[in-house]
Amino acid sequence: ILSNANEPRLKYLARAINILADCDSAIFCPGWTMAAGCNVEYAACKLYYIPTFQIDKTKDKLVNLKG
């Protein structure tokens, strides 16, 4: 039986979503849009009305991700 190479990633993503369920907001690091897991987390935030922010290194502050 071949193992699924993505299984560990899916387990980590499941844990992240479980933790996200208890959060008041989520903060995403620069480059998050290039990571599949971060995109899933962002989609979950939008579906369940969890406020999202991104770190803006140029201004050294958080920016509200509206969308």
Side-chain angles (χ1 to χ4, degrees):
I1 298 173
L2 297 175
S3 65
N4 183 349
N6 290 325
E7 186 176 79
R9 285 182 162 177
L10 290 174
K11 286 183 180 182
Y12 289 124
L13 181 58
R15 287 185 203 157
I17 297 296
N18 190 33
I19 292 168
L20 187 59
D22 292 327
C23 293
D24 296 322
S25 63
I27 299 172
F28 293 87
C29 296
W32 70 269
T33 56
M34 297 173 59
C38 291
N39 280 284
V40 173
E41 293 169 0
Y42 178 76
C45 288
K46 291 301 154 191
L47 284 170
Y48 293 98
Y49 306 102
I50 298 171
T52 55
F53 301 90
Q54 178 173 330
I55 297 170
D56 184 337
K57 292 192 296 186
T58 62
K59 298 177 184 173
D60 199 28
K61 67 177 188 176
L62 292 177
V63 177
N64 190 353
L65 290 174
K66 297 177 182 175

